Amino acid sequence: METKIWYVDNPVNKDKVYPQIVDAAKNLQLGQVVAFPTETVYGLGANALSDEAVQRIFQAKGRPSDNPLIVHIANEEQLNDLVEDIPLNAKKLMDAFWPGPLTLILKSKKHVSKFVTAGLSTVGVRMPDHPVALALIESCNLPIAAPSANTSGKPSPTSAKHVYEDLNGRIVGIVDGGNTGVGLESTVIDCSQDVFTILRPGSITPEMIREVITTVEVDPSTMKENEAPKSPGMKYKHYAPDAQMHLVNGDIEFIHKLIHNSQNQGKKIGVLTTEENKTQYKADVVLACGKRSELSTVAASLYDCIRQFNDENVDIIYCETFPYEGIGIAIMNRLWKACGHSIIEQGK
Ligand code: AMP
Ligand code: MG
């Protein structure tokens, strides 16, 4: 299958009809799988009400079938069609953060495909804050199930080029709306129990949520090894580069010793750092991932950097740690998973 690219200049004009979006929407109505930009990462979309269409997503990505999908909607009417009842606090979160990078887990209605929910009684829903995504969902007039548009296990795509690298020939097309904004997947919050729990950290932080609903718990498995994750998909390997990556909690001198030792063993070494420190390292490949002083820029370029290390064929990547605050929590969660939980501590 030849994968089509539908270029759409973003921002889109709401009053204009874009033939590219209409064409992509028609493919969704026909049960095909289409990748599209959101403000977090690129999504791999299909009709959430069709078993056949949703199964095509799992085939294209090689995703395990017990890992549920997030359904993307463009308006409240679509929400009422998917979920049974909406607790008051969930409504407050929607009013505060939608459209935006927050996925709410709610009790599902029966007709949502069991392949979307992985057989659970709940469904994850979000309204993306991206004009191209919203225009596409409006145009096909369907709720769109969409995981990240990468091969399962790889870093999520933040550009149409990343999607093409992973899925060329496996899907009908990609709507190219440029680079995504946030760069990390949505915050996922379980609203199906009395006390809401964050299952996956994202750019909507626990502090921001507590400003709206006072109490929220955070699933400890998001940063602790040996804790069983509360969300089914979280147990899988994620965001991994081809090389072994290690987070290093130590100063630059300590990281240099690690680099030196590994190079002596004939290994090609990558370092993942930020603009502030990049000139201080001598390694085979040194990549600056945004600015430490502005963590949102680190989030935005993290996955692109991990993919660049793959292109450079490094053997080992040493990665600086980030402060565990604000979006830093989500950055550390993704890095920790990308490293397969490996953290090297100085002095240990
Ligand atoms: P992805 O779309 O690849 O970003 O992954 C979406 C993640 O959201 C999954 O890995 C799940 O862990 C989580 N998720 C989606 N639906 C549910 C649900 N009904 N219950 C719990 N977690 C969910
Ligand atoms: Mg994913």
Side-chain angles (χ1 to χ4, degrees), residues 314-327:
V314 298
D315 299 306
I316 301 176
I317 304 162
Y318 292 115
C319 175
E320 292 179 355
T321 57
F322 292 89
Y324 201 69
E325 62 194 32
I327 199 171

Side-chain angles (χ1 to χ4, degrees), residues 20 51 63 80 99 114 138 142 156 203 240 254 285 288:
Q20 313 91 302
D51 286 353
R63 182 172 172 113
N80 296 329
K114 62 179 182 298
E138 290 274 6
L142 290 168
S156 299
S203 63
F254 178 70
V285 183

